[in-house]
Amino acid sequence: MSGHFPVSITTDPDRLIQMAVAQVLPGTRHRFCKRSIFLETQEKLAHIYQTHPTFEMEFKKCINETETVDEFESCWESLLERYYLLDNEWLQSLYNARLQWVPVYMRDTFFGELCMTDTGGDAVNLFFDGYVNAATTIQLLIKQYEKAVAGWHEKELKADYDTTSTTPVLKTPSPMEKQAADLYTKRIFTKFQEELVETLANPATKIEESGTITSYRVAKYGEEIKAHTVRFNAFEMKANCSCQMFEFSGIICRHILAVFRSKNVLTLPSEYLLKRWTRNAKSGGAVDEQASELRGNSQEPLTVRHNNLRHEAIKFVEEGAKSIHFYNVAMDALQEAAKKVAAAKKQSSGATQGSTLGNGANQGTHTGEENQMMPPHKSADEKEKKIRDLAAELESTNQRCEVYRANLLAVLRDMEDQKLKLSVKVQNARLSLKE
């Protein structure tokens, strides 16, 4: 763990384990395994499960599907009242420990699970499935553990092979989807792609703007009551969502992606690309490799280059502002960088001019009659000015193209949104006619 405490840990709900974790890992978020709690609840409330078959489904729905603390509290109280369990000691103990196992209280902490409704701790149980049971001795446990490790490694190798040997099928023309397909493992890309496609049905509506922070309301068509709020910082190109999916799983949610889509953010900012989910998680940094590749790719759109430069500049500014010494170092570095950029521009201009002059020299083999028909040569200064003017015009044209492209994408998105709205209306009309 590189000398750091883990961010989170999941164990069985045991008092001694809880004390040990608190002592050894004081800064780690301790979560109880939800699967173990469900199994123990089934034992403790066996009579309820037998007499009320719907209780288990409602109980798990209350735990897994509530999205806010208030919603959970209301659902829990309603559940206990409906089944006359307000005085049940076991359920009261679970409620008292809710901060350590109910998902709605854990979403602000990273647990590395792809879904918030995962049972929490299943990985440990699946690891030993088929290898150990209650009758397994210590001696046999050691041998079976080695077999379990070997089996797990085999599954991991198969997953790696699937990632490297198959090409993901893209569902949109989005550069962001292509970027994710190149970086993520097969399983993670599938999850990301699902979130990205869902942005088509989850439009972002601006509700408030304060300085560089803009708040958006994102909801699925027909499910506005389940809207989420996304706060987007245009200067830092960062966003956070009330669903807290990224904080919990490390995968960006459809709500933030919907805002990125509306703001023409074409690629995922580096802070949303967790190394653990990438193809190169076991080796070098995937994001760094991507940045290096981008540096050598002159065909990348202006917007992409602009976004990447801005991300790096913001990091530089944040570090440089921490002290006067860092500030002076940062300013010197910026001035040096400005000189290098200016030199590169001048060199590029000179190369273009040299190419033009070279072409002119090759034309010097024309006959005297042809030379007499050619206009007199322009001076070097005039040629250089002409080259600068053409270069400026080309850059201006490129920028206009990017603006036109962004506007076209916005129009296409509006068309998609309108198409989806019409589809929903038609479906509702059909249902009304059937009724």
Side-chain angles (χ1 to χ4, degrees):
M1 291 179 284
S2 304
H4 299 287
F5 289 131
V7 175
S8 59
I9 186 172
T10 303
T11 72
D12 282 338
D14 182 89
R15 187 175 62 85
L16 293 178
I17 294 178
Q18 185 178 4
M19 292 171 59
V21 170
Q23 183 176 353
V24 179
L25 303 172
T28 299
R29 186 75 179 271
H30 185 194
R31 178 179 65 167
F32 294 151
C33 174
K34 197 166 41 167
R35 182 175 187 263
S36 298
I37 290 176
F38 284 159
L39 290 174
E40 195 165 355
T41 300
Q42 191 171 2
E43 294 177 6
K44 299 279 188 181
L45 304 179
H47 61 292
I48 299 295
Y49 277 66
Q50 291 174 0
T51 56
H52 300 283
T54 59
F55 175 79
E56 181 179 12
M57 181 189 68
E58 292 185 40
F59 177 66
K60 289 185 176 180
K61 185 177 180 180
C62 177
I63 303 304
N64 291 328
E65 297 185 20
T66 49
E67 296 188 356
T68 65
V69 171
D70 290 340
E71 186 181 355
F72 166 74
E73 297 280 353
S74 175
C75 181
W76 180 270
E77 185 177 355
S78 175
L79 182 70
L80 268 57
E81 286 180 353
R82 190 157 57 254
Y83 290 96
Y84 303 100
L85 295 170
L86 290 172
D87 297 327
N88 185 276
E89 292 184 4
W90 169 249
L91 291 177
Q92 186 59 48
S93 68
L94 291 184
Y95 180 78
N96 292 339
R98 63 192 182 281
L99 298 181
Q100 288 187 275
W101 70 280
V102 178
V104 74
Y105 294 99
M106 316 290 290
R107 287 178 174 169
D108 60 343
T109 303
F110 180 74
F111 282 94
E113 292 176 1
L114 301 190
C115 180
M116 293 187 186
T117 59
D118 285 350
T119 53
D122 252 0
V124 177
N125 294 289
L126 290 173
F127 185 85
F128 286 108
D129 270 358
Y131 294 99
V132 299
N133 53 46
T136 303
T137 63
I138 294 295
Q139 292 83 355
L140 183 58
L141 173 63
I142 295 173
K143 293 181 179 179
Q144 293 299 94
Y145 171 77
E146 292 174 351
K147 289 183 179 180
V149 170
W152 197 263
H153 283 166
E154 186 177 344
K155 291 178 182 178
E156 198 172 87
L157 288 172
K158 184 180 183 303
D160 289 343
Y161 177 77
D162 288 343
T163 294
T164 56
S165 64
T166 58
T167 302
V169 178
L170 303 183
K171 296 182 179 180
T172 74
S174 166
M176 189 179 291
E177 185 182 15
K178 177 65 169 63
Q179 175 195 22
D182 292 338
L183 290 175
Y184 283 142
T185 63
K186 181 180 179 181
R187 186 184 179 197
I188 300 301
F189 172 70
T190 300
K191 178 62 179 173
F192 170 82
Q193 188 180 55
E194 176 188 331
E195 296 298 315
L196 183 66
V197 171
E198 279 295 323
T199 62
L200 297 174
N202 287 266
T205 305
K206 185 191 295 186
I207 56 176
E208 185 182 359
E209 189 168 4
S210 177
T212 60
I213 307 295
T214 306
S215 296
Y216 292 85
R217 183 176 180 273
V218 183
K220 190 172 185 177
Y221 287 116
E223 298 181 8
E224 283 75 11
I225 194 172
K226 294 183 178 181
H228 287 278
T229 302
V230 176
R231 288 168 54 83
F232 176 68
N233 188 319
F235 178 71
E236 297 182 355
M237 294 297 287
K238 292 181 180 179
N240 57 72
C241 179
S242 58
C243 78
Q244 296 183 306
M245 176 176 164
F246 180 75
E247 289 81 357
F248 183 85
S249 67
I251 298 177
I252 197 166
C253 66
R254 63 194 64 180
H255 314 113
I256 292 179
L257 289 173
V259 172
F260 281 174
R261 184 166 169 263
S262 70
K263 299 298 291 183
N264 288 325
V265 179
L266 301 179
T267 58
L268 276 175
S270 58
E271 55 264 31
Y272 294 104
L273 292 166
L274 267 61
K275 180 182 175 182
R276 68 181 294 137
W277 297 141
T278 65
R279 295 166 177 257
N280 299 324
K282 298 177 183 177
S283 56
V287 179
D288 292 340
E289 290 175 8
Q290 181 210 16
S292 299
E293 182 180 339
L294 181 60
R295 291 190 196 104
N297 189 353
S298 61
Q299 301 302 317
E300 288 290 343
L302 176 66
T303 308
V304 177
R305 297 197 301 271
H306 182 272
N307 285 345
N308 279 277
L309 284 171
R310 178 163 55 179
H311 295 325
E312 294 303 317
I314 289 171
K315 296 176 186 176
F316 193 68
V317 169
E318 290 174 349
E319 291 298 320
K322 288 182 178 179
S323 73
I324 188 64
H325 174 64
F326 292 168
Y327 171 80
N328 291 332
V329 171
M331 286 301 294
D332 290 342
L334 284 173
Q335 291 171 2
E336 183 65 25
K339 292 178 182 177
K340 289 183 178 180
V341 171
K345 288 174 65 178
K346 187 175 181 181
Q347 184 179 2
S348 176
S349 176
T352 306
Q353 179 184 353
S355 174
T356 305
L357 292 175
N359 291 337
N362 291 335
Q363 293 171 359
T365 58
H366 290 301
T367 64
E369 183 179 352
E370 288 173 331
N371 286 334
Q372 290 176 3
M373 295 174 62
M374 292 176 64
H377 289 293
K378 295 182 179 179
S379 67
D381 290 341
E382 289 176 331
K383 288 181 178 179
E384 186 174 351
K385 182 178 182 301
K386 183 65 174 177
I387 291 170
R388 285 200 302 270
D389 292 342
L390 289 172
E393 184 179 350
L394 178 61
E395 181 65 22
S396 176
T397 302
N398 286 337
Q399 291 179 359
R400 286 200 302 274
C401 287
E402 286 296 325
V403 173
Y404 296 152
R405 181 174 179 273
N407 291 338
L408 179 59
L409 287 173
V411 171
L412 290 174
R413 278 199 307 274
D414 289 341
M415 291 173 64
E416 290 174 357
D417 293 343
Q418 291 299 324
K419 181 180 177 182
L420 191 56
K421 287 180 180 178
L422 286 173
S423 176
V424 171
K425 289 181 179 178
V426 169
Q427 187 65 25
N428 290 337
R430 286 177 178 172
L431 292 174
S432 299
L433 289 173
K434 288 181 180 179
E435 293 175 356

